[in-house]
mmCIF file of all heavy atoms in Angstrom:
data_model
loop_
_atom_site.group_PDB
_atom_site.id
_atom_site.type_symbol
_atom_site.label_atom_id
_atom_site.label_comp_id
_atom_site.label_asym_id
_atom_site.label_seq_id
_atom_site.Cartn_x
_atom_site.Cartn_y
_atom_site.Cartn_z
ATOM 1 N N ILE A 255 112.634 106.266 104.138
ATOM 2 C CA ILE A 255 111.286 106.833 104.198
ATOM 3 C C ILE A 255 111.315 108.168 104.929
ATOM 4 O O ILE A 255 110.671 109.140 104.495
ATOM 5 C CB ILE A 255 110.318 105.844 104.876
ATOM 6 C CG1 ILE A 255 110.078 104.635 103.972
ATOM 7 C CG2 ILE A 255 108.989 106.528 105.215
ATOM 8 C CD1 ILE A 255 109.334 103.500 104.633
ATOM 9 N N ARG A 256 112.050 108.236 106.013
ATOM 10 C CA ARG A 256 112.134 109.495 106.764
ATOM 11 C C ARG A 256 112.852 110.576 105.959
ATOM 12 O O ARG A 256 112.513 111.747 106.059
ATOM 13 C CB ARG A 256 112.813 109.254 108.107
ATOM 14 C CG ARG A 256 111.904 108.496 109.057
ATOM 15 C CD ARG A 256 112.518 108.266 110.400
ATOM 16 N NE ARG A 256 111.551 107.630 111.300
ATOM 17 C CZ ARG A 256 111.886 106.950 112.363
ATOM 18 N NH1 ARG A 256 113.156 106.823 112.693
ATOM 19 N NH2 ARG A 256 110.954 106.401 113.120
ATOM 20 N N ILE A 257 113.829 110.201 105.151
ATOM 21 C CA ILE A 257 114.491 111.170 104.275
ATOM 22 C C ILE A 257 113.522 111.663 103.205
ATOM 23 O O ILE A 257 113.514 112.848 102.853
ATOM 24 C CB ILE A 257 115.761 110.553 103.649
ATOM 25 C CG1 ILE A 257 116.827 110.342 104.721
ATOM 26 C CG2 ILE A 257 116.307 111.418 102.509
ATOM 27 C CD1 ILE A 257 118.016 109.524 104.271
ATOM 28 N N ALA A 258 112.687 110.768 102.685
ATOM 29 C CA ALA A 258 111.730 111.112 101.635
ATOM 30 C C ALA A 258 110.431 111.704 102.197
ATOM 31 O O ALA A 258 109.483 111.921 101.442
ATOM 32 C CB ALA A 258 111.420 109.876 100.800
ATOM 33 N N ASN A 259 110.385 111.977 103.489
ATOM 34 C CA ASN A 259 109.180 112.486 104.138
ATOM 35 C C ASN A 259 108.596 113.725 103.445
ATOM 36 O O ASN A 259 107.387 113.778 103.209
ATOM 37 C CB ASN A 259 109.462 112.754 105.619
ATOM 38 C CG ASN A 259 108.217 112.998 106.429
ATOM 39 O OD1 ASN A 259 107.146 113.262 105.909
ATOM 40 N ND2 ASN A 259 108.357 112.917 107.729
ATOM 41 N N PRO A 260 109.401 114.738 103.080
ATOM 42 C CA PRO A 260 108.811 115.902 102.396
ATOM 43 C C PRO A 260 108.142 115.548 101.064
ATOM 44 O O PRO A 260 107.078 116.071 100.743
ATOM 45 C CB PRO A 260 110.007 116.835 102.177
ATOM 46 C CG PRO A 260 111.001 116.432 103.199
ATOM 47 C CD PRO A 260 110.810 114.957 103.398
ATOM 48 N N LYS A 261 108.754 114.643 100.309
ATOM 49 C CA LYS A 261 108.157 114.234 99.033
ATOM 50 C C LYS A 261 106.856 113.468 99.262
ATOM 51 O O LYS A 261 105.867 113.677 98.555
ATOM 52 C CB LYS A 261 109.139 113.381 98.238
ATOM 53 C CG LYS A 261 108.583 112.960 96.900
ATOM 54 C CD LYS A 261 109.556 112.157 96.093
ATOM 55 C CE LYS A 261 108.909 111.787 94.770
ATOM 56 N NZ LYS A 261 109.768 110.977 93.939
ATOM 57 N N ILE A 262 106.854 112.586 100.262
ATOM 58 C CA ILE A 262 105.646 111.818 100.574
ATOM 59 C C ILE A 262 104.524 112.764 101.003
ATOM 60 O O ILE A 262 103.384 112.628 100.573
ATOM 61 C CB ILE A 262 105.943 110.764 101.661
ATOM 62 C CG1 ILE A 262 106.935 109.734 101.127
ATOM 63 C CG2 ILE A 262 104.667 110.092 102.135
ATOM 64 C CD1 ILE A 262 107.518 108.816 102.169
ATOM 65 N N ARG A 263 104.856 113.747 101.842
ATOM 66 C CA ARG A 263 103.859 114.715 102.302
ATOM 67 C C ARG A 263 103.326 115.540 101.126
ATOM 68 O O ARG A 263 102.139 115.844 101.054
ATOM 69 C CB ARG A 263 104.464 115.617 103.369
ATOM 70 C CG ARG A 263 103.449 116.535 103.996
ATOM 71 C CD ARG A 263 104.028 117.235 105.205
ATOM 72 N NE ARG A 263 103.021 118.070 105.814
ATOM 73 C CZ ARG A 263 103.148 119.377 105.989
ATOM 74 N NH1 ARG A 263 104.261 119.978 105.625
ATOM 75 N NH2 ARG A 263 102.185 120.072 106.534
ATOM 76 N N PHE A 264 104.196 115.900 100.192
ATOM 77 C CA PHE A 264 103.776 116.633 99.007
ATOM 78 C C PHE A 264 102.799 115.807 98.171
ATOM 79 O O PHE A 264 101.747 116.302 97.758
ATOM 80 C CB PHE A 264 104.993 117.032 98.166
ATOM 81 C CG PHE A 264 104.639 117.656 96.853
ATOM 82 C CD1 PHE A 264 104.188 118.965 96.791
ATOM 83 C CD2 PHE A 264 104.757 116.933 95.683
ATOM 84 C CE1 PHE A 264 103.857 119.539 95.577
ATOM 85 C CE2 PHE A 264 104.423 117.490 94.454
ATOM 86 C CZ PHE A 264 103.975 118.810 94.401
ATOM 87 N N LEU A 265 103.155 114.541 97.929
ATOM 88 C CA LEU A 265 102.267 113.656 97.161
ATOM 89 C C LEU A 265 100.929 113.471 97.874
ATOM 90 O O LEU A 265 99.872 113.455 97.238
ATOM 91 C CB LEU A 265 102.940 112.305 96.935
ATOM 92 C CG LEU A 265 104.169 112.300 96.025
ATOM 93 C CD1 LEU A 265 104.857 110.950 96.056
ATOM 94 C CD2 LEU A 265 103.789 112.690 94.613
ATOM 95 N N LEU A 266 100.977 113.342 99.193
ATOM 96 C CA LEU A 266 99.754 113.210 99.979
ATOM 97 C C LEU A 266 98.913 114.473 99.861
ATOM 98 O O LEU A 266 97.687 114.410 99.708
ATOM 99 C CB LEU A 266 100.104 112.917 101.434
ATOM 100 C CG LEU A 266 98.942 112.689 102.380
ATOM 101 C CD1 LEU A 266 98.183 111.416 102.007
ATOM 102 C CD2 LEU A 266 99.439 112.594 103.812
#
Side-chain angles (χ1 to χ4, degrees):
I255 290 170
R256 288 181 175 158
I257 291 170
N259 192 344
K261 181 178 180 182
I262 295 168
R263 186 170 182 238
F264 174 76
L265 293 171
L266 183 66

